[in-house]
Amino acid sequence: MKPEIAGSESPMLGDLIVGRIDELAAISETEKHLTRIFLTAQHRAAADLLLSWMREAGMRAHLDAIGNVCGRYEGERSGLPCLMLGSHYDTVRDAGKWDGPLGLITAICCVADLHRRGRRLPFAVEVAGFADEEGVRFSSTLLGSRAVAGTFDESVLNTRDKAGLTMREALQKFGFDPDHIGAAARARRELLAYVELHIEQGPVLEEKNLPVGVVTAIAGATRLAANLTGMAGHAGTVPMALRRDALAGAAECIVAIEEFCKADQAGLVGTVGSIDAMPGATNVIPGRVSFTIDVRAPSDAQRKLAVAGIVRKIEAIAKRRQLTLQLDITHENRTVPCATWLKGQVADAVAAEGFAVFELPSGAGHDGMAMIDIADVGMIFVRCRGGVSHHPDEHVEVADADAGARVLLRLIENFRPRDAAE
Ligand SMILES: [Zn+2]
């Protein structure tokens, strides 16, 4: 698929970005697989490299109290509130190299371009590289951005990693004071907006043949644990009419969830990703089954309505099959809408670079979910090959990295704060 490219006189930012993506990806726990985890030697090495790029781009840069890299490019005079750009630089295990770093490196390269041209804006530009978004080490996501938003949950300091080290101990080992994470927090008045560029991690832009997209919202999610109990029995002796097969019931529930979500035309998605059948033997009718349900939608109202509808369907199936149903909500997070005024400015930047404006929601979580507590949030998506992410095959074409960078740079240079924009 040939990416759509508009004429531009600015130098190819994409080449610089892709070179740096590769350089950062070389910092990994193992040579063969990319893994960069919070509060490790690789975290330190990556932070040092990012800080050096920030300084080279004319920013003042430092590591904050939880290990985020923070760079600041002053505006026409010093001390002005900032447009904050950011993304994360931790990874999942055996990761792709674009998820997180693309947004962070693109932001640094855009500031470098302003600096090279001596361009100062009527606001400051800050770049935040979040130390832990994925939550691999302590099973708690968005640690970096929550610290910046001032919503870091101190109780997670007692969480242990697989080696038995608490987060408190890991922070101390890294040279941080766990009692001073509050120092990383920023105030709402310091930020004009938070904008993140990120790979789409889905196949929609590729299908539309577009390099970039305007994100409408970060979809909220509800996760449920379902347990169906029937009656275990001998696979040879119990006639079909007398069975209460929990697994056959679960199968009907799974298909019903899929049909329910397919019938919705407004971005609802539902997934059963894990299932356990007991006792789990070839010659035994399954007596007990547990499975998970993950429901996401672009608005909270839509998601809640969908969850209620799915629950009704499952309850009816269980009742008809004489199965006992237990259903628990295990996780719920709200939808984070992108601010209309920012979405408009992102769309203007996309159009000005010669691309069709296409809006889409984000099904995956991002740091904006934390940043919404102190700033309006905007997001730009960049196409990734096959929609593959959290996998070494994750890939972005250099022309698309360049398109994303030009849109972000245009957005920065034309940015009007909310009051001026309205
Ligand atoms: Zn990410």
Side-chain angles (χ1 to χ4, degrees), residues 217-231:
I218 305 168
T222 303
R223 288 185 197 149
L224 301 107
N227 278 283
L228 283 172
T229 311
M231 179 70 85

Side-chain angles (χ1 to χ4, degrees), residues 166-180:
T166 64
M167 191 190 302
R168 177 179 291 279
E169 290 159 347
L171 282 161
Q172 280 161 342
K173 243 180 101 181
F174 200 80
F176 288 142
D177 180 349
D179 295 321
H180 281 94

